[in-house]
Amino acid sequence: MKTITLNNPGEFSISDAAEPTEVPAGYALVRTRRVGICGTDWHAYHGRQPFFSYPRVLGHELGVEVVAVNDPSAEVKEGDKCSVEPYLNCGQCVACRRGKGNCCIDLKVLGVHADGGMRELIVVPTHKLHVSNKLSLDQLALVETLGIGCHAVARAQVERDEHVLVLGAGPIGLSVIPFVQAAGAIAVVADVSDSRLAFCRQHMNVKTTLDARGDLAEQLKQLPGGDLPTAIIDATGNPPSMMRCFDLLAHGGRIVYVGLFQGEVSFNDPNFHRRETTLLASRNALPGDFKRIIRLIEQGVVDTTPWITHRASASAFIETLPRWLTPDAGVIKAMIDFD
Ligand SMILES: [Zn+2]
Ligand SMILES: [Zn+2]
């Protein structure tokens, strides 16, 4: 079977590997049809992904078709189309016991810590498959991407009519916006890139965008009502942005860090306390997030049409990649077709 391997930073190869020969109990054999590429994959390619070892088969944003099932109690059956929840958790640790497998002590993400979906066939636990025979294969591959934003918005417990400031309009920020809107709240988006902000206004139904190069507190005070946002979701992974959140938040508000970086965050305690700030991290997504996203796409509440900007067949991926990496390529989501 066709398999794309990242051998070392900057070096992919395509090979013909042996197909899986057995499907263990509780598992399904699935055929990969779509693989979305995201920031994690770019970091691995550039050698900047922490705790990453080579060689590795990437691919954690997957639209698949079920080939065989070895699990009598499974919801999935042969021929079903599914999104894959790529977070392999132990099921035993304190987080797993409390229903938080997304932050399992021993979490292994398919395509990051374990070989993923950039190959024609993979074997996955049946309970990690989320079926929809209504969504397209592209949409199924986008569910994991959207899961990052869906989970962050759930962490913030966003309510109707509140103003939510989304910092950063890269793919993570874009994944946050539809779920803020689905909660009936108003998404205000800030970024340093004019073209990203224009994209939000044109394609994501965002009415208000702010220039993050300027004084954000001042711009926020000019908005109708004049109150600071009651929730801030930082999707930048940029330390100055993350530390600035504490000055931009309404009293009694919540901050969610969904973007991350390898370092320390500090803040002024009186500033934090005065507001009785709630500070939360958001990591990956839960099974319920996958189910909810599938339902919202099926119902037309979440529109996936703006997302996929670039695509290539599995055979053409390696030669196409350098074009996607140029700064003016404007990639939001690149998709690999395994057909
Ligand atoms: Zn991803
Ligand atoms: Zn666990």
Side-chain angles (χ1 to χ4, degrees), residues 213-232:
R213 289 163 295 196
D215 183 341
L216 279 180
E218 211 38 59
Q219 295 175 67
L220 287 164
K221 282 182 201 148
Q222 305 301 319
L223 298 181
D227 291 321
L228 289 169
T230 44
I232 300 179

Side-chain angles (χ1 to χ4, degrees), residues 59-91:
H60 63 274
E61 304 186 354
L62 308 175
V64 305
E65 217 164 51
V66 178
V67 177
V69 182
N70 183 6
D71 183 353
S73 65
E75 286 172 33
V76 291
K77 56 182 191 312
E78 204 184 306
D80 276 343
K81 294 190 180 67
C82 305
S83 173
V84 178
E85 180 195 327
Y87 319 122
L88 305 179
N89 59 305
C90 77

